[in-house]
């Protein structure tokens, strides 16, 4: 018997249902996969995202100053919470996130950014470009998030978009 946080249990049950697997089979596959070492902060983050978004959750990507190794004492921990296109991203969604207790990652408040995958071939937003260069996929359903991040990295490598800085803040421009 394994005792886990009820939120994580719910997230696993939801993911198992989406994969058409029993909870036991789903957990066995997850534990056998690379990078399956448990991390309580990642589990709490993914669990909350799964509770909030249900089967619409496509992926969770950590990005920003902390992932780049540039975070300071006052920095937050940025995450993309990727939803299916049909799931509306509204102020109420952020409000539902904020009504739950504050999540922390290595002592820093988690700052959610609810997003949809950018359309294939489209020039991505700066947020997606930042996630593509330094982001870490913490969770995804299938390979859609990793595939899109790889597409964006190819755009950067090909010179179609480039990162610039203004007053120490990054922004991205179309260059090709």
């Amino acid at each position: 018997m394994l005792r886990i946080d009820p939120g994580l249990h719910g997230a696993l049950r939801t993911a198992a249902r989406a994969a058409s697997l029993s909870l036991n089979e789903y957990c066995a596959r997850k534990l056998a996969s690379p990078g399956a070492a448990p991390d309580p902060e990642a589990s709490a983050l993914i669990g909350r995202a799964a509770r909030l978004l249900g089967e619409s959750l496509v992926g969770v990507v950590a990005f920003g100053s902390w992932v780049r190794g540039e975070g300071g004492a006052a920095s937050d921990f940025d995450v993309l919470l990727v939803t299916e296109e049909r799931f509306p991203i509204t102020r109420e969604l952020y409000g539902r996130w904020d009504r739950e207790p504050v999540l922390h990652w290595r002592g820093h408040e988690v700052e959610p950014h609810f997003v949809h995958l950018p359309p294939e071939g489209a020039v991505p937003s700066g947020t997606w470009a930042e996630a593509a260069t330094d982001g870490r996929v913490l969770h995804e359903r299938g390979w859609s998030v990793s595939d899109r991040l790889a597409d964006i990295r190819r755009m950067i490598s090909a010179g179609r978009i480039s990162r610039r800085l203004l007053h120490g803040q990054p922004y991205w421009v179309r260059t090709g």
Side-chain angles (χ1 to χ4, degrees):
M1 175 173 283
L2 176 66
R3 294 189 190 281
I4 60 174
D5 173 73
L8 177 58
H9 183 265
L12 290 169
R13 189 174 50 242
T14 299
R17 201 171 326 139
S20 299
L21 297 170
S22 71
L23 179 57
N24 191 49
E25 177 65 19
Y26 181 81
C27 289
R29 288 183 185 187
K30 283 305 232 185
L31 289 170
S33 67
D39 181 311
E41 291 172 316
S43 295
L45 171 58
I46 294 164
R48 180 179 293 182
R51 283 191 311 276
L52 223 56
L53 303 172
E55 293 183 20
S56 292
L57 177 63
V58 175
V60 178
V61 181
F63 76 106
S65 61
W66 277 105
V67 175
R68 286 192 308 273
E70 300 170 353
S75 298
D76 55 14
F77 189 84
D78 294 297
V79 293
L80 294 181
L81 300 177
V82 187
T83 72
E84 291 179 345
E85 189 66 35
R86 65 181 171 79
F87 192 91
I89 298 173
T90 64
R91 284 180 184 241
E92 172 57 21
L93 181 59
Y94 282 91
R96 287 177 31 217
W97 176 275
D98 289 341
R99 282 193 286 278
E100 293 195 32
V102 173
L103 278 180
H104 290 89
W105 187 282
R106 312 297 188 260
H108 299 276
E109 187 172 334
V110 172
E111 181 67 31
H113 301 266
F114 294 96
V115 295
H116 297 124
L117 283 173
E120 197 169 326
V123 175
S125 69
T127 301
W128 274 103
E130 289 293 321
T133 56
D134 297 310
R136 301 290 184 268
V137 177
L138 303 176
H139 167 79
E140 70 181 316
R141 185 180 70 207
W143 292 99
S144 58
V145 174
S146 292
D147 288 346
R148 197 56 41 86
L149 292 171
D151 289 343
I152 296 167
R153 286 191 295 275
R154 283 189 286 275
M155 286 181 187
I156 294 167
S157 294
R160 290 182 54 205
I161 57 175
S162 65
R163 187 177 197 252
R164 308 272 169 82
L165 288 175
L166 180 64
H167 305 295
Q169 297 300 312
Y171 68 99
W172 290 81
V173 296
R174 174 184 248 162
T175 54

